[in-house]
């Protein structure tokens, strides 16, 4: 029996990143997750609201794969919250098979608290109890319809405390790395991530 091909994979980068942040993960995957889309999102140092970035993400996905092609989605750091907004608020759940959140402040982070939310709206969206996070948590049904998995570092100093970097539903795996960048650089993190992405 011929195995069912995996759907396209979309990777969403973090706040100060470019698509190049996934270079190590791509190497670990070894070309076994094609087609692969890694859009460059203009996050403007946190000035772009997360929902605006999510809408742009949806445009990239539609341009690459049309409106109905099922996909898998991985979001790193703020990219995971952007992806979650697309899933829950912009209808992305209807075409999504699997969502992987990596080091994403899905429950907010203390490091966002000092930033003025009126100037840095994207960072403000990551503050504890932000209107956006409250809205996302009001209706979790779209997340429950798909397979979700959160990967995080217990000592992550970007998402603080580290345990807040998990979705409210789905599996959770703490990776044995000490810093936020190591989540996409260290083999101890890349190997489990690639294993998850290569599951049937």
């Amino acid at each position: 029996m011929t195995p069912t091909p995996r759907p396209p994979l979309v990777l969403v980068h973090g706040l100060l990143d470019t698509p190049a942040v996934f270079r190590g993960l791509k190497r670990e995957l070894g070309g076994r997750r094609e087609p692969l889309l890694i859009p460059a999102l203009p996050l403007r140092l946190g000035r772009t609201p997360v929902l605006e970035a999510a809408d742009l993400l949806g445009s990239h996905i539609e341009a690459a794969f049309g409106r109905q092609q099922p996909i898998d989605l991985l979001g790193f750091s703020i990219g995971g919250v952007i992806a979650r907004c697309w899933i829950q608020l912009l209808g992305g759940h209807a075409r999504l098979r699997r969502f992987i959140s990596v080091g994403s402040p899905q429950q907010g982070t203390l490091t966002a608290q000092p930033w003025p939310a009126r100037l840095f709206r994207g960072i403000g969206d990551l503050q504890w109890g932000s209107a956006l996070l409250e809205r996302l948590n009001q209706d979790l049904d779209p997340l429950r319809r798909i397979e979700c998995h959160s990967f995080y570092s217990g000592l992550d100093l970007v998402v603080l405390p580290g345990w807040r970097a998990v979705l409210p539903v789905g599996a959770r795996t703490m990776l044995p790395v000490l810093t936020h960048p190591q989540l996409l650089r260290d083999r101890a993190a890349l190997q489990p991530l690639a294993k998850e992405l290569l599951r049937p």
Side-chain angles (χ1 to χ4, degrees):
M1 178 181 291
T2 303
T4 303
R6 298 184 184 93
L9 173 63
V10 180
L11 306 178
V12 189
H13 64 76
L15 182 63
L16 302 179
D17 301 318
T18 70
V21 75
F22 293 111
R23 188 178 296 121
L25 184 57
K26 286 177 63 179
R27 187 164 50 245
E28 195 71 31
L29 290 171
R32 291 171 288 175
R33 280 305 309 258
E34 299 290 343
L36 178 63
L37 174 66
I38 314 177
L41 301 179
L43 303 182
R44 299 183 301 154
L45 301 176
R47 290 183 171 86
T48 302
V50 168
L51 191 54
E52 181 180 315
D55 186 58
L56 183 57
L57 170 64
S59 297
H60 279 285
I61 292 171
E62 185 174 323
F65 305 121
R67 295 186 176 183
Q68 298 185 347
Q69 166 70 54
I71 64 168
D72 287 345
L73 184 58
L74 179 148
F76 170 63
S77 196
I78 194 177
V81 184
I82 292 168
R84 182 181 172 191
C85 283
W86 177 73
I87 293 166
Q88 289 186 246
L89 304 179
L90 300 176
H93 68 276
R95 62 182 300 174
L96 197 64
R97 182 185 72 145
R98 186 173 294 159
F99 175 38
I100 296 103
S101 171
V102 182
S104 297
Q106 304 289 0
Q107 300 183 48
T109 172
L110 281 174
T111 55
Q113 300 305 116
W115 295 84
R118 286 198 297 177
L119 294 177
F120 295 89
R121 293 176 61 190
I123 296 176
D125 286 333
L126 307 181
Q127 294 174 349
W128 285 13
S130 74
L132 179 68
L133 294 180
E134 291 290 329
R135 183 180 175 190
L136 288 171
N137 287 329
Q138 282 174 1
D139 181 10
L140 299 177
D141 283 346
L143 285 183
R144 293 192 178 106
R145 297 179 193 177
I146 60 178
E147 188 177 344
C148 296
H149 198 150
S150 300
F151 290 87
Y152 67 102
S153 165
L155 297 175
D156 191 329
L157 297 181
V158 173
V159 182
L160 190 66
W163 57 264
R164 295 183 73 94
V166 296
L167 293 160
V169 302
R172 300 174 180 183
T173 299
M174 185 169 70
L175 297 171
V177 296
L178 299 179
T179 69
H180 194 70
Q182 282 180 305
L183 288 165
L184 287 180
R185 293 180 185 171
D186 197 297
R187 288 293 303 281
L190 292 173
Q191 288 179 334
L193 290 175
K195 183 178 179 180
E196 174 69 8
L197 291 171
L198 292 173
R199 280 199 303 116

